[in-house]
């Protein structure tokens, strides 16, 4: 299919973004429901310790998401760039290698987590009180890791193949099933936190099966051949090079989550809140923020095929226009979430179960201080994904690391040492603001280069 026939190169940018971004956003939101619904039902049934347990287990989810993005975004970005160059053979080889790597990495991670579960949860910040709940929950959810990586990672390839709605259905079906099974298992069968975990992996299995069906019956670009699935060093390197920025961002988040959990556990013990209240509150706030991040990442992922194809086809005007539209949409969403976090922190927290007055006080302060720069938090992930989409992986990695590793982690350690548990709160907005400014500087420089290429044409 040449550029004049492919809608990525011809259709109006606004409707095109809507076509690809809306299903990606819905997929991200529905995927987030796995953790949010679990958190709500666990909070209502188990209480504060249950919320703390899911927070302690959350770094493992972030690691899985990092691997999913490494292989999913890396495969999809290379796939789109190859299609833009009219190199269909390379595109299919990349997609097949990405699928094979998802299966291998999912099984390996499942084995590692199962073997080293207890020391991992202790390292993630578990307390004596919430560790038993975290063990029960994570021992079951670890079995779903291969299905999670295959189903969610595969949705990126499905979207790049021109089927964003089917990619959305893959994720949505599993999450909806999880929503129905959670209350049934937790309350109906009186399985508690184990029931929430079991409902989660059943939903993940359904999503993986739907993705497998697409690959077998509905893949559009070309027919699969066995030779495409033989791992190639060149394909693996290409996938990793363009997926590593998105992966690093998740791994950085994981590192920050672990550092924050341990910091809150240590300094919380010497505060009026104790260790378990901060861990439970941060667990709630992290899950709520996942909704915001899912929307922003969905916008970025929806723009990836458009930006990748047009950059490969040297249609630079459409590349610039797509990024500008994405920034406008993401900023509008960010402002809305900023207002919610500032105006309704107590109401949001109460959805996830009841607690003491100190619990609500800490949650409200954390929302208002730590999340203060939410209105600017769309810029960094959008810009990182932009550079990945045009094949500039190093810049994508650099930007993906700014907020979490370069700014937030050192500030958490320094400020908590100086001001205790309050220091953790103030580290967040400073890191967010600095990351947004740096992202703006990088993208302005890149837009200047793109205009120069456009002028040469």
């Amino acid at each position: 299919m040449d550029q004049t026939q492919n809608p990525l190169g011809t259709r109006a940018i606004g409707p095109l973004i809507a076509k690809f971004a809306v299903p990606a956003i819905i997929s991200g939101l529905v995927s987030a429901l796995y953790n949010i619904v679990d958190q709500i039902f666990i909070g209502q049934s188990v209480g504060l310790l249950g919320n703390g347990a899911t927070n302690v287990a959350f770094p493992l989810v972030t690691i899985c998401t990092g691997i999913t993005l490494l292989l999913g975004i890396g495969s999809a970005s290379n796939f789109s760039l190859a299609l833009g160059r009219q190199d269909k053979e390379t595109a299919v080889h990349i997609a097949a290698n990405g699928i094979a790597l998802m299966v291998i990495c999912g099984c390996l991670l499942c084995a590692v987590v199962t073997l080293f579960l207890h020391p991992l949860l202790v390292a993630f910040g578990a307390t004596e009180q919430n560790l038993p709940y975290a063990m029960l929950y994570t021992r079951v959810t670890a079995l779903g890791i291969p299905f999670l990586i295959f189903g969610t990672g595969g949705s990126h390839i499905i979207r790049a193949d021109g089927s964003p709605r089917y990619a959305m259905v893959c994720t949505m079906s599993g999450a909806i099933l999880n929503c129905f099974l959670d209350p049934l298992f937790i309350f109906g069968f009186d399985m508690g936190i184990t029931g929430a975990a079991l409902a989660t992996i059943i939903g993940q299995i359904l999503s993986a099966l739907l993705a497998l069906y697409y690959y077998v019956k509905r893949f559009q670009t070309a027919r699969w051949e066995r030779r495409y699935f033989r791992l190639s060093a060149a394909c693996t390197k290409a996938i990793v090079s363009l997926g590593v920025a998105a992966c690093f961002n998740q791994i950085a988040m994981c590192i920050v989550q672990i550092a924050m959990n341990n910091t809150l556990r240590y300094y919380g013990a010497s505060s009026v809140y104790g260790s378990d209240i901060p861990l439970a509150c941060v667990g709630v706030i992290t899950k709520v923020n996942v909704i915001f991040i899912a929307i922003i990442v969905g916008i970025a992922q929806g723009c990836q095929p458009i930006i990748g194809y047009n950059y490969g086809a040297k249609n630079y005007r459409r590349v610039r226009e797509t990024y500008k539209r994405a920034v406008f949409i993401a900023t509008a969403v960010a402002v809305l979430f900023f207002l919610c976090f500032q105006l309704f922190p107590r109401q949001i927290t109460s959805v996830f179960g009841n607690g003491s007055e100190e619990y609500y006080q800490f949650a409200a302060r954390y929302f208002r201080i730590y999340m203060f720069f939410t209105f600017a938090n769309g810029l960094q992930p959008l810009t990182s994904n932009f550079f990945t989409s045009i094949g500039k992986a190093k810049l994508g990695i650099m930007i993906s690391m700014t907020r979490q590793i370069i700014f937030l982690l050192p500030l958490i350690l320094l400020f908590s040492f100086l001001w205790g548990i309050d220091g953790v709160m103030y580290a967040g907005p400073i890191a967010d603001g600095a990351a947004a400014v740096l992202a703006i500087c990088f993208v302005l420089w890149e837009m200047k280069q793109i205009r120069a290429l456009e002028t040469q044409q």
Side-chain angles (χ1 to χ4, degrees), residues 113-137:
V113 172
T114 302
L115 289 172
F116 302 102
L117 181 58
H118 184 275
L120 281 172
L121 292 176
V122 172
F124 290 168
T127 65
E128 290 184 9
Q129 288 73 28
N130 64 37
L131 179 59
Y133 295 102
M135 289 285 292
L136 286 172
Y137 183 76

Side-chain angles (χ1 to χ4, degrees), residues 84-168:
R85 296 190 299 265
Q86 314 305 319
D87 187 358
K88 190 176 291 187
E89 176 79 8
T90 297
V92 179
H93 200 175
I94 286 284
N97 268 233
I99 293 168
L101 288 168
M102 289 173 202
V103 173
I104 294 169
C105 291
C107 293
L108 286 176
L109 183 58
C110 174
V112 170
V113 172
T114 302
L115 289 172
F116 302 102
L117 181 58
H118 184 275
L120 281 172
L121 292 176
V122 172
F124 290 168
T127 65
E128 290 184 9
Q129 288 73 28
N130 64 37
L131 179 59
Y133 295 102
M135 289 285 292
L136 286 172
Y137 183 76
T138 313
R139 184 177 287 114
V140 178
T141 56
L143 300 176
I145 288 174
F147 303 101
L148 171 62
I149 292 175
F150 182 82
T152 308
S155 68
H156 297 285
I157 298 175
I158 293 171
R159 190 178 301 114
D161 188 49
S163 300
R165 290 182 181 177
Y166 192 95
M168 174 186 70

Side-chain angles (χ1 to χ4, degrees), residues 168-179:
M168 174 186 70
V169 169
C170 284
T171 309
M172 180 179 290
S173 300
I176 291 174
L177 180 60
N178 178 51
C179 291

Side-chain angles (χ1 to χ4, degrees), residues 432-443:
D432 290 339
V437 170
L438 200 59
I440 292 171
C441 293
F442 273 105
V443 82

